[in-house]
Amino acid sequence: MKTNPPPSVDFDLTLMATRFAALGSEQRLGVLQALVRAGPEGLPMGELGARTGISGSTLTHHLKILAQAGLARQVRQGRQIICMGADLDIIDRLSGFLFDQCCADAPKGHDHDGHSHG
């Protein structure tokens, strides 16, 4: 008999899958990396384009996908659009998602590298 995971687990898996899918492009990963490197102040759209080598509608498209996944956002400041990465706790949660339950089902005495320890 198959059991379904609790709804919160389903939601978490769906959310994480959406976020990982958004990073499934070298250009989007580069955009997110540039935003993380810039820190919480973000970057003006033009500067982000210069740093990533992506501009215009292509950059807008990638930012839209990252924003839909909760990994980036844009804020208008005067005449500029400032692009920011997600809060670092969201990025940390995304990277930690794969490791949170590392080795939970492995035989006792094995670490995450698959090595046996006495």
Side-chain angles (χ1 to χ4, degrees):
M1 182 166 121
K2 183 179 175 188
T3 60
N4 292 324
S8 62
V9 172
D10 261 355
F11 174 76
D12 204 37
L13 283 175
T14 300
L15 179 61
M16 291 301 145
T18 299
R19 289 181 173 159
F20 278 113
L23 297 175
S25 152
E26 280 182 45
Q27 288 185 322
R28 281 192 296 277
L29 190 56
V31 168
L32 183 61
Q33 184 179 39
L35 293 174
V36 169
R37 288 175 60 98
E41 300 301 314
L43 293 169
M45 187 83 128
E47 177 67 20
L48 179 59
R51 289 189 187 191
T52 60
I54 308 166
S55 60
S57 62
T58 302
L59 181 57
T60 301
H61 168 75
H62 288 309
L63 283 166
K64 180 180 177 183
I65 292 171
L66 289 170
Q68 288 172 337
L71 296 173
R73 60 191 176 98
Q74 296 175 297
V75 176
R76 181 172 289 283
Q77 289 183 357
R79 297 181 65 169
Q80 286 189 323
I81 295 175
I82 306 298
C83 305
M84 293 170 245
D87 293 333
L88 290 181
D89 62 320
I90 291 174
I91 307 268
D92 185 53
R93 200 162 158 240
L94 180 63
S95 63
F97 176 77
L98 296 175
F99 296 103
D100 283 348
Q101 296 185 27
C102 178
C103 308
D105 296 333
K108 299 292 182 217
H110 287 76
D111 65 14
H112 65 276
D113 293 329
H115 296 107
S116 180
H117 296 280

